[in-house]
Amino acid sequence: MNKPTFYEQVGIVIPGAVFLVGVLFYFPALNTLLAKDGVTLGQFGIFLLLSYAAGHLIAAVGNLLENVLWQPFGGMPTDWVTQTGDISLLSSQQRDAVEAKVRTRFGIAVDKLRGIERKAWFPISRQIYADVNKNGKPDRIDTFNGNYGLNRGLSAACITLACVAATRSDWSVALGLVVLAVIFAYRAYRFGVHYGREMYLQFLVLTDAEAKKPSGEKAGQET
């Protein structure tokens, strides 16, 4: 079994664990998962497995939240380069450079980056990330992505727990959880913007020499 990725650790397990702990307060019968006098190694392992499973359920809620979060901004930050007006993600010159680099590096005939449909741009943006991941330095991108997933998951967990609290008429707790969900959603927005900007900046600094290096050699490695 492969080691869980950074995204899975912080974007799936942690929100799932937060959700499970919140549920335990409202369903005491589930407290048998945890011992009163401490947690055994076996119980901790079971809790992690349940957190991972619950984290994927919360991620489904997060996907719905994601659509609501980015819709007013014209899509996710990686799609902003397709907007016709000015954007805060990149300068006009940087957008022109991305457009030119997509043509020369991938051989994709992109007539004009501005105004291209988001559905058409999505696979190209994924190819840009794959190129950076193979030939560039994706560490900062993956860190931003992991923190984006974490805050999106925590926001979704808070919203889900707020619904549970509302069914128990615990309105003060429900309101507090909604406030926390908004804060986490804002943090997700911030990290999402950082992710999009960093991905394109790392793509722009890739050189043709890096693209021609053998697959076993990392680009930019000092010798």
Side-chain angles (χ1 to χ4, degrees), residues 94-110:
Q94 287 173 323
R95 293 170 73 184
D96 293 338
V98 170
E99 181 181 302
K101 203 171 187 69
V102 166
R103 294 196 195 101
T104 58
R105 195 171 178 88
F106 299 152
I108 299 177
V110 178

PDB file of all heavy atoms in Angstrom, residues 94-110:
ATOM      1  N   GLN A  94       2.093  38.043 -18.454  1.00  0.00           N
ATOM      2  CA  GLN A  94       2.258  36.655 -18.029  1.00  0.00           C
ATOM      3  C   GLN A  94       1.226  35.755 -18.703  1.00  0.00           C
ATOM      4  O   GLN A  94       1.536  34.617 -19.073  1.00  0.00           O
ATOM      5  CB  GLN A  94       2.151  36.554 -16.507  1.00  0.00           C
ATOM      6  CG  GLN A  94       3.358  37.108 -15.772  1.00  0.00           C
ATOM      7  CD  GLN A  94       3.155  37.161 -14.277  1.00  0.00           C
ATOM      8  OE1 GLN A  94       2.050  37.447 -13.784  1.00  0.00           O
ATOM      9  NE2 GLN A  94       4.208  36.878 -13.518  1.00  0.00           N
ATOM     10  N   ARG A  95       0.015  36.253 -18.873  1.00  0.00           N
ATOM     11  CA  ARG A  95      -1.000  35.466 -19.563  1.00  0.00           C
ATOM     12  C   ARG A  95      -0.604  35.231 -21.016  1.00  0.00           C
ATOM     13  O   ARG A  95      -0.791  34.130 -21.561  1.00  0.00           O
ATOM     14  CB  ARG A  95      -2.357  36.167 -19.486  1.00  0.00           C
ATOM     15  CG  ARG A  95      -2.937  36.229 -18.092  1.00  0.00           C
ATOM     16  CD  ARG A  95      -4.141  37.140 -18.029  1.00  0.00           C
ATOM     17  NE  ARG A  95      -5.304  36.564 -18.653  1.00  0.00           N
ATOM     18  CZ  ARG A  95      -6.468  37.206 -18.785  1.00  0.00           C
ATOM     19  NH1 ARG A  95      -6.582  38.456 -18.358  1.00  0.00           N
ATOM     20  NH2 ARG A  95      -7.491  36.619 -19.345  1.00  0.00           N
ATOM     21  N   ASP A  96      -0.041  36.251 -21.655  1.00  0.00           N
ATOM     22  CA  ASP A  96       0.441  36.094 -23.033  1.00  0.00           C
ATOM     23  C   ASP A  96       1.571  35.070 -23.090  1.00  0.00           C
ATOM     24  O   ASP A  96       1.663  34.280 -24.041  1.00  0.00           O
ATOM     25  CB  ASP A  96       0.927  37.435 -23.587  1.00  0.00           C
ATOM     26  CG  ASP A  96      -0.206  38.440 -23.778  1.00  0.00           C
ATOM     27  OD1 ASP A  96      -1.371  38.004 -23.890  1.00  0.00           O
ATOM     28  OD2 ASP A  96       0.082  39.651 -23.806  1.00  0.00           O
ATOM     29  N   ALA A  97       2.421  35.072 -22.061  1.00  0.00           N
ATOM     30  CA  ALA A  97       3.531  34.127 -22.019  1.00  0.00           C
ATOM     31  C   ALA A  97       3.035  32.695 -21.837  1.00  0.00           C
ATOM     32  O   ALA A  97       3.581  31.756 -22.436  1.00  0.00           O
ATOM     33  CB  ALA A  97       4.496  34.506 -20.897  1.00  0.00           C
ATOM     34  N   VAL A  98       2.007  32.509 -20.999  1.00  0.00           N
ATOM     35  CA  VAL A  98       1.416  31.179 -20.824  1.00  0.00           C
ATOM     36  C   VAL A  98       0.841  30.696 -22.148  1.00  0.00           C
ATOM     37  O   VAL A  98       1.021  29.531 -22.546  1.00  0.00           O
ATOM     38  CB  VAL A  98       0.324  31.212 -19.735  1.00  0.00           C
ATOM     39  CG1 VAL A  98      -0.471  29.896 -19.728  1.00  0.00           C
ATOM     40  CG2 VAL A  98       0.938  31.446 -18.364  1.00  0.00           C
ATOM     41  N   GLU A  99       0.148  31.580 -22.837  1.00  0.00           N
ATOM     42  CA  GLU A  99      -0.454  31.249 -24.127  1.00  0.00           C
ATOM     43  C   GLU A  99       0.607  30.792 -25.123  1.00  0.00           C
ATOM     44  O   GLU A  99       0.444  29.769 -25.811  1.00  0.00           O
ATOM     45  CB  GLU A  99      -1.199  32.475 -24.658  1.00  0.00           C
ATOM     46  CG  GLU A  99      -1.905  32.279 -25.980  1.00  0.00           C
ATOM     47  CD  GLU A  99      -2.591  33.556 -26.427  1.00  0.00           C
ATOM     48  OE1 GLU A  99      -3.440  34.070 -25.659  1.00  0.00           O
ATOM     49  OE2 GLU A  99      -2.277  34.044 -27.527  1.00  0.00           O
ATOM     50  N   ALA A 100       1.710  31.553 -25.203  1.00  0.00           N
ATOM     51  CA  ALA A 100       2.782  31.216 -26.138  1.00  0.00           C
ATOM     52  C   ALA A 100       3.474  29.913 -25.745  1.00  0.00           C
ATOM     53  O   ALA A 100       3.839  29.097 -26.606  1.00  0.00           O
ATOM     54  CB  ALA A 100       3.791  32.362 -26.202  1.00  0.00           C
ATOM     55  N   LYS A 101       3.654  29.697 -24.445  1.00  0.00           N
ATOM     56  CA  LYS A 101       4.362  28.506 -23.972  1.00  0.00           C
ATOM     57  C   LYS A 101       3.542  27.247 -24.202  1.00  0.00           C
ATOM     58  O   LYS A 101       4.106  26.175 -24.461  1.00  0.00           O
ATOM     59  CB  LYS A 101       4.707  28.654 -22.488  1.00  0.00           C
ATOM     60  CG  LYS A 101       5.873  27.779 -22.039  1.00  0.00           C
ATOM     61  CD  LYS A 101       6.284  28.138 -20.633  1.00  0.00           C
ATOM     62  CE  LYS A 101       7.554  27.396 -20.224  1.00  0.00           C
ATOM     63  NZ  LYS A 101       8.735  27.859 -20.968  1.00  0.00           N
ATOM     64  N   VAL A 102       2.224  27.348 -24.104  1.00  0.00           N
ATOM     65  CA  VAL A 102       1.359  26.198 -24.395  1.00  0.00           C
ATOM     66  C   VAL A 102       1.526  25.778 -25.851  1.00  0.00           C
ATOM     67  O   VAL A 102       1.578  24.586 -26.172  1.00  0.00           O
ATOM     68  CB  VAL A 102      -0.113  26.537 -24.084  1.00  0.00           C
ATOM     69  CG1 VAL A 102      -1.055  25.492 -24.688  1.00  0.00           C
ATOM     70  CG2 VAL A 102      -0.340  26.622 -22.589  1.00  0.00           C
ATOM     71  N   ARG A 103       1.648  26.759 -26.742  1.00  0.00           N
ATOM     72  CA  ARG A 103       1.827  26.449 -28.165  1.00  0.00           C
ATOM     73  C   ARG A 103       3.176  25.772 -28.421  1.00  0.00           C
ATOM     74  O   ARG A 103       3.256  24.737 -29.089  1.00  0.00           O
ATOM     75  CB  ARG A 103       1.740  27.728 -28.998  1.00  0.00           C
ATOM     76  CG  ARG A 103       0.389  28.407 -29.003  1.00  0.00           C
ATOM     77  CD  ARG A 103       0.319  29.413 -30.149  1.00  0.00           C
ATOM     78  NE  ARG A 103      -0.782  30.332 -30.000  1.00  0.00           N
ATOM     79  CZ  ARG A 103      -0.662  31.573 -29.544  1.00  0.00           C
ATOM     80  NH1 ARG A 103       0.529  32.036 -29.204  1.00  0.00           N
ATOM     81  NH2 ARG A 103      -1.717  32.361 -29.441  1.00  0.00           N
ATOM     82  N   THR A 104       4.242  26.376 -27.896  1.00  0.00           N
ATOM     83  CA  THR A 104       5.587  25.890 -28.212  1.00  0.00           C
ATOM     84  C   THR A 104       5.939  24.616 -27.457  1.00  0.00           C
ATOM     85  O   THR A 104       6.626  23.735 -27.994  1.00  0.00           O
ATOM     86  CB  THR A 104       6.630  26.974 -27.888  1.00  0.00           C
ATOM     87  OG1 THR A 104       6.536  27.331 -26.505  1.00  0.00           O
ATOM     88  CG2 THR A 104       6.377  28.216 -28.738  1.00  0.00           C
ATOM     89  N   ARG A 105       5.496  24.487 -26.220  1.00  0.00           N
ATOM     90  CA  ARG A 105       5.904  23.345 -25.384  1.00  0.00           C
ATOM     91  C   ARG A 105       5.038  22.119 -25.622  1.00  0.00           C
ATOM     92  O   ARG A 105       5.528  20.993 -25.600  1.00  0.00           O
ATOM     93  CB  ARG A 105       5.870  23.745 -23.908  1.00  0.00           C
ATOM     94  CG  ARG A 105       6.599  22.768 -22.994  1.00  0.00           C
ATOM     95  CD  ARG A 105       6.720  23.332 -21.594  1.00  0.00           C
ATOM     96  NE  ARG A 105       7.378  22.401 -20.700  1.00  0.00           N
ATOM     97  CZ  ARG A 105       8.697  22.316 -20.519  1.00  0.00           C
ATOM     98  NH1 ARG A 105       9.506  23.111 -21.177  1.00  0.00           N
ATOM     99  NH2 ARG A 105       9.218  21.451 -19.673  1.00  0.00           N
ATOM    100  N   PHE A 106       3.732  22.329 -25.848  1.00  0.00           N
ATOM    101  CA  PHE A 106       2.814  21.210 -26.022  1.00  0.00           C
ATOM    102  C   PHE A 106       2.418  20.991 -27.481  1.00  0.00           C
ATOM    103  O   PHE A 106       1.848  19.954 -27.817  1.00  0.00           O
ATOM    104  CB  PHE A 106       1.543  21.418 -25.192  1.00  0.00           C
ATOM    105  CG  PHE A 106       1.786  21.515 -23.708  1.00  0.00           C
ATOM    106  CD1 PHE A 106       0.927  22.248 -22.899  1.00  0.00           C
ATOM    107  CD2 PHE A 106       2.862  20.881 -23.114  1.00  0.00           C
ATOM    108  CE1 PHE A 106       1.136  22.334 -21.534  1.00  0.00           C
ATOM    109  CE2 PHE A 106       3.086  20.964 -21.748  1.00  0.00           C
ATOM    110  CZ  PHE A 106       2.217  21.697 -20.964  1.00  0.00           C
ATOM    111  N   GLY A 107       2.646  22.005 -28.316  1.00  0.00           N
ATOM    112  CA  GLY A 107       2.211  21.900 -29.703  1.00  0.00           C
ATOM    113  C   GLY A 107       0.707  21.989 -29.861  1.00  0.00           C
ATOM    114  O   GLY A 107       0.138  21.465 -30.825  1.00  0.00           O
ATOM    115  N   ILE A 108       0.060  22.623 -28.895  1.00  0.00           N
ATOM    116  CA  ILE A 108      -1.401  22.785 -28.933  1.00  0.00           C
ATOM    117  C   ILE A 108      -1.728  24.133 -29.556  1.00  0.00           C
ATOM    118  O   ILE A 108      -1.238  25.172 -29.100  1.00  0.00           O
ATOM    119  CB  ILE A 108      -2.012  22.685 -27.521  1.00  0.00           C
ATOM    120  CG1 ILE A 108      -1.715  21.310 -26.917  1.00  0.00           C
ATOM    121  CG2 ILE A 108      -3.519  22.929 -27.567  1.00  0.00           C
ATOM    122  CD1 ILE A 108      -2.214  21.160 -25.495  1.00  0.00           C
ATOM    123  N   ALA A 109      -2.555  24.128 -30.579  1.00  0.00           N
ATOM    124  CA  ALA A 109      -2.895  25.365 -31.281  1.00  0.00           C
ATOM    125  C   ALA A 109      -3.959  26.130 -30.504  1.00  0.00           C
ATOM    126  O   ALA A 109      -5.166  25.919 -30.675  1.00  0.00           O
ATOM    127  CB  ALA A 109      -3.394  25.062 -32.694  1.00  0.00           C
ATOM    128  N   VAL A 110      -3.508  26.995 -29.629  1.00  0.00           N
ATOM    129  CA  VAL A 110      -4.414  27.860 -28.871  1.00  0.00           C
ATOM    130  C   VAL A 110      -4.404  29.231 -29.540  1.00  0.00           C
ATOM    131  O   VAL A 110      -3.422  29.973 -29.434  1.00  0.00           O
ATOM    132  CB  VAL A 110      -3.964  27.974 -27.395  1.00  0.00           C
ATOM    133  CG1 VAL A 110      -4.896  28.910 -26.631  1.00  0.00           C
ATOM    134  CG2 VAL A 110      -3.937  26.608 -26.747  1.00  0.00           C
TER     135      VAL A 110
END
